[in-house]
Every structure is written in C-alpha cells, then in structure tokens.
Amino acid sequence: MKTHTFPQNFIWGAAASAYQIEGGWNEDGKGESIWDRFSHTPGKILNGDTGDIACDFYHRWPEDIRLMKEIGLQAFRFSIAWTRVLPAGRGKINPAGLDFYSRLVDGLLEAGIVPCVALYHWDLPQALQEMGGWPARSTAEAFAEYTDVVTRSLGDRAKYWVTFNEPTCSGLLGYQMGIHAPGICDWGQSLAAIHHLLLAHGMALQVIRNNAPQSQAGIVIDPIPCQPATPAAEDYAAYRWFDGYHNRWFMDPLYGRHYPADILAEHVQRGNLSSSDLPFLQPGDYEIIATPTDFIGLNYYRREVLSGKVDDRGGTSEPLDQPDEQHTKMGWEIYPQGLLELILNVYTEYRPAKILITENGASYSDGPAPDGRVHDQRRIAYLQGHIQAIHKAIEFGAPVEGYFVWSLLDNFEWSLGYSQRFGIVYVDYDTQLRLPKDSAIWYSQVIRQNGLVEPESQPA
Ligand code: IFM
C-alpha cells in the first residue's frame, strides 16, 4: 500500500458560488446582477440556460449542509451575492439577504463545517454596471462599503474570507473576450477593470482587518501554468504574452511589484493602451493592492500550451462531446503535474505564507446507472492525481494547508449553462434530487484518512 498522508491541520473542503447554485434570483428583495442580465439576454448562454433556479440552494441549503456533513467536509467555500445584501450595489441594505447568509454560516458552524466566505464570484450588481462597472474606480469604493456591511454581520463567525474569486475571469472574460457578463470586448476597459478589481481587493482587506480581526483573509487566483508548444521564437512569444497578461499581470502587483513592464510595453505596441501611463493608476494604488494577505487561494484545472501560429490568447479549448483519456468534457487537458508546477512556481516566486487550493475538479456527464449510483471513476482518477501532486508539493516544502474540490454540486457552468457537471454530488435539475456520486464516497474516505491510501500498481 502506498500512502500519502497530509499534515494534521490540513483542511478538506468543497467550493461553490452564489450564482451557480442559489437560484432565487429575484426573491426576498434581491437586486439584479450582471449575470441575471447576461443570462436573460438571448444568445449568451448555451441552450438559453439561466441561474434563475440553478440548484435551488437558496431554499435547500439545510439539506445540502446535511449532505456536506455526511461526506465529512471540513470546510465549505461559498460566495455571497452582493445584490442580496445591497440590491442596488450601494446604499440601502436588504436585511433578508444578510439574514440568509447569517443562517447559512450558523448552519455550517452547527454542522462543524468551517465557512469560507468569498465576497465576489463574478455577480456585480447591474446597477453598478450601469454606473461604469469595474472599469470605474467608484465600483472599488462600492466594494469596500459592501465588504464593511457583510463583515460587520458575519465577521464574528466566518474564519476565512476571500475577497475575489479569479479576477482574471471578471477582467478578461467579462471585459475583453465578452463571453462572460457584462459581455464587453475592449482591452482598455478590461485593463481598467482589472486594476479596480485588484484595488478593491486591497481596500476590502483593510476593512476585513478592522471588522474581523480574528479571521484570515486572502484572494483566489487562477494562474495557468503554460509553456511554448515548441522552442520556435513565435511559440515562445505567444507563451510569454499569455503568461504575462494572464498570470504575472495579476500576481506581480498583489506581491508588491508593478504591472510587468514587458507586458505593459506590449499592450501599448498592440494598441490595447494608448501609452504606458496607465490612465486609471493613482498614487498609492500599488501599496493598497499589495496589502498583505494571510493566504493565497489557487484554482487549478489545466495547463496551456501556446503556439504562435494558432493562437496567442490561450484558453481555446472547446467542450468535448466525448471526453477522452487526456481531456475532460470541458476539453481541458488532464495534467496533474501542472498543479505541482503551479504551487512550486508561486511559492518560489512570491513566497506566500500559506496556500490553499481553492478549486480543482473535472467535468464529466456521468449520470445514474441502472444500479441507481453514479460511477464517476474518471473524476476519482482526476482528483486522485491532483491530490498526489499537492502531496508532492508539500514534501518539497510548499505551505499548502487546504484543498477544496470543485464542486460540491453539479451547477450552472456560466456560458455553458448546465451542459457541464463538475459536482461530486449529482443534481437532477427537474426534481432537484441530490445523489452523491462515487467520487463523493471516495472523497469521504480521503477526508477520513487525511490523505490517499492506494494499492501499489503492479508491474505488467
Ligand atoms: O465553474 C467555474 C468556477 O465558477 C470558477 N472556476 C472554474 C470553474 C470551472 O469552470
């Protein structure tokens, strides 16, 4: 038997986000978010799906907490819908919204599950989008106010706070590629949006420190490990550009450096910016963005291999009808080694005090078999390989202290609607029935054993 035992304080959890699971999109005073607007716009989401009902977590959370407890989860990372708390983004508080999250936090604590609260997982209030959205500096100020309201209410009970989940997606997919809400394709707006997302992170950290001094706070980033397809100069250039605008542009300022000069120059050369004097940058911003965190959350699914001939933007994989051995249904390559590379690169380059793997998982469509169970063996193999990679990173000295599988439930996968199932628990969207997949049973065992115990593979 081969064992991979994790350190005693290691946390095993699962993650989800408000828009992807809650439903109740306009209930009890909730305001409209950019994702409500985007998904209600014809042609934006596969099959016209919306998050209006999703997994109905808004009503079924007590049942879902029981499920988490059965699985043995030690922590649950969820996000708060800003528009439940402040329907117009600023100003009037909606007590029913705050109360929902307060009951959820209490319910988790009663079940012995640590709440890990993300303040932002992409669902900006539509009212703020209409006032300029993330490209406007005022949105960062609004975010600090919202953080104040939420942390005053939950700060005494929630131990972990995440300011933003994957600002890359909000900034790049939402404002540059236009495939996420609010659906804008403009580099100038995208770079301003990214700056204000990072600024809002730093401003919010200072609020969390005041209102919840006993808690731990950080940000969740999804740097994608990447490499050139070949040593050819054009492939190397494509790799450098992708790594620069997708990874270093976020990580460098968070850790006290400026936006990378080479990528800034390239933005100017490509016409994405009119000059290297960033119009949105104000004195003191870099200091705010680099406010120290207690941890960095890393999300990992895949690597990117860049070819100058085909593409210089990355992220080109398309969902597959039939996943093969190398790819999940998202069309993403299965490459656990990339998680090891990511952790070691981030640790050696930026030296965070603590790392949490805040998302990792795989989309496969397996549904109930004739025996009534969901045999998602491919997901188990995927998770096992990635958990082994984390174990190796810890052996190399990286301070990884937690793992959150994505996701607890099958849920709304953004522009791909319900076509992708990432859950360890199957959701029948017609009946809202939950069915733990084999991966949930397997994960329970991992948690109980605090790691992996696998039979040694036999030589052929
Ligand atoms: O579903 C998303 C999640 O919202 C953010 N990280 C990646 C997941 C899978 O695409």
Side-chain angles (χ1 to χ4, degrees):
M1 288 296 222
K2 200 167 171 211
T3 56
H4 293 89
T5 305
F6 280 68
Q8 260 198 339
N9 61 350
F10 197 84
I11 299 175
W12 299 97
S17 87
Y19 190 73
Q20 293 178 276
I21 62 167
E22 281 181 6
W25 77 280
N26 59 0
E27 279 187 53
D28 300 332
K30 179 181 169 295
E32 187 190 21
S33 79
I34 55 172
W35 270 96
D36 294 318
R37 177 67 62 95
F38 195 67
S39 71
H40 293 160
T41 307
K44 298 295 185 192
I45 312 292
L46 191 67
N47 302 321
D49 291 344
T50 73
D52 290 2
I53 300 174
C55 307
D56 196 28
F57 181 81
Y58 185 64
H59 300 109
R60 292 169 194 264
W61 61 270
E63 176 195 337
D64 289 334
I65 289 182
R66 280 197 291 278
L67 207 54
M68 294 181 216
K69 203 172 169 185
E70 263 168 47
I71 296 171
L73 292 186
Q74 297 166 345
F76 181 54
R77 183 170 81 92
F78 62 95
S79 77
I80 297 207
W82 187 340
T83 49
R84 273 197 206 289
V85 175
L86 292 157
R90 290 186 110 146
K92 201 162 172 297
I93 297 172
N94 176 31
L98 265 184
D99 197 48
F100 167 66
Y101 293 110
S102 184
R103 283 182 283 125
L104 176 59
V105 165
D106 285 344
L108 288 166
L109 290 173
E110 272 162 32
I113 299 166
V114 175
C116 177
V117 186
L119 288 157
Y120 191 82
H121 198 123
W122 310 353
D123 44 357
L124 182 72
Q126 180 64 29
L128 294 185
Q129 180 57 34
E130 276 153 29
M131 294 188 324
W134 284 112
R137 194 174 178 94
S138 55
T139 301
E141 287 150 13
F143 185 76
E145 292 165 15
Y146 154 66
T147 302
D148 185 51
V149 172
V150 176
T151 51
R152 273 177 199 278
S153 164
L154 309 179
D156 55 336
R157 287 161 289 156
K159 178 165 175 203
Y160 289 98
W161 289 91
V162 167
T163 54
F164 286 88
N165 182 77
E166 298 176 358
T168 33
C169 292
S170 303
L172 294 169
L173 303 187
Y175 288 91
Q176 192 272 322
M177 293 175 77
I179 56 172
H180 277 191
I184 291 167
C185 300
D186 180 315
W187 263 116
Q189 288 202 52
S190 168
L191 291 169
I194 292 167
H195 184 69
H196 297 131
L197 286 156
L198 295 176
L199 184 69
H201 153 77
M203 290 162 95
L205 275 176
Q206 298 175 1
V207 175
I208 298 170
R209 300 286 182 229
N210 272 334
N211 293 350
Q214 311 299 338
S215 68
Q216 299 203 15
I219 187 168
V220 166
I221 303 284
D222 63 332
I224 300 186
C226 50
Q227 61 191 73
T230 74
E234 60 192 358
D235 292 349
Y236 185 79
Y239 144 75
R240 226 199 75 263
W241 168 235
F242 179 81
D243 186 47
Y245 81 76
H246 191 280
N247 299 339
R248 286 189 290 138
W249 194 265
F250 292 82
M251 293 297 290
D252 281 8
L254 286 170
Y255 284 91
R257 306 175 192 174
H258 290 188
Y259 291 118
D262 56 335
I263 300 303
L264 179 55
E266 192 158 343
H267 273 305
V268 176
Q269 190 214 321
R270 287 172 176 248
N272 302 339
L273 287 168
S274 52
S275 87
S276 57
D277 298 327
L278 296 170
F280 41 77
L281 181 68
Q282 294 192 8
D285 282 2
Y286 278 129
E287 286 73 21
I288 296 174
I289 292 172
T291 304
T293 56
D294 299 303
F295 63 86
I296 180 138
L298 298 177
N299 291 354
Y300 175 79
Y301 292 88
R302 66 191 175 99
R303 70 170 163 174
E304 191 72 49
V305 178
L306 280 306
S307 155
K309 282 199 204 91
V310 180
D311 158 69
D312 68 358
R313 291 200 325 182
T316 51
S317 46
E318 292 291 334
L320 296 177
D321 283 342
Q322 291 300 328
D324 56 36
E325 274 183 15
Q326 270 89 46
H327 299 88
T328 67
K329 191 169 160 43
M330 286 292 278
W332 292 348
E333 185 193 5
I334 302 168
Y335 186 64
Q337 168 78 13
L339 180 51
L340 175 63
E341 289 165 15
L342 170 67
I343 296 170
L344 296 182
N345 286 347
V346 166
Y347 185 50
T348 43
E349 190 64 31
Y350 302 102
R351 292 272 147 192
K354 167 167 167 173
I355 298 173
L356 298 173
I357 303 306
T358 33
E359 277 182 33
N360 173 239
S363 163
Y364 290 109
S365 304
D366 310 291
D371 65 2
R373 291 178 42 193
V374 180
H375 302 297
D376 59 336
Q377 200 51 45
R378 293 171 298 184
R379 177 172 292 102
I380 295 176
Y382 179 100
L383 297 177
Q384 178 161 308
H386 288 77
I387 291 173
Q388 278 168 356
I390 297 171
H391 191 264
K392 196 168 263 175
I394 295 173
E395 281 178 342
F396 277 122
V400 188
E401 297 190 20
Y403 176 82
F404 293 73
V405 69
W406 184 270
S407 184
L408 175 68
L409 305 170
D410 290 336
N411 61 52
F412 177 83
E413 177 57 20
W414 307 110
S415 56
L416 298 172
Y418 296 100
S419 67
Q420 303 293 320
R421 292 182 175 271
F422 275 91
I424 56 171
V425 174
Y426 181 85
V427 176
D428 178 330
Y429 294 112
D430 293 330
T431 60
Q432 291 295 345
L433 197 87
R434 274 73 164 139
L435 181 60
K437 302 179 189 177
D438 286 357
S439 57
I441 298 162
W442 171 85
Y443 193 46
S444 298
Q445 205 182 349
V446 171
I447 299 171
R448 269 201 310 279
Q449 293 167 172
N450 192 26
L452 301 168
V453 179
E454 311 138 43
E456 210 77 72
S457 55
Q458 298 299 318

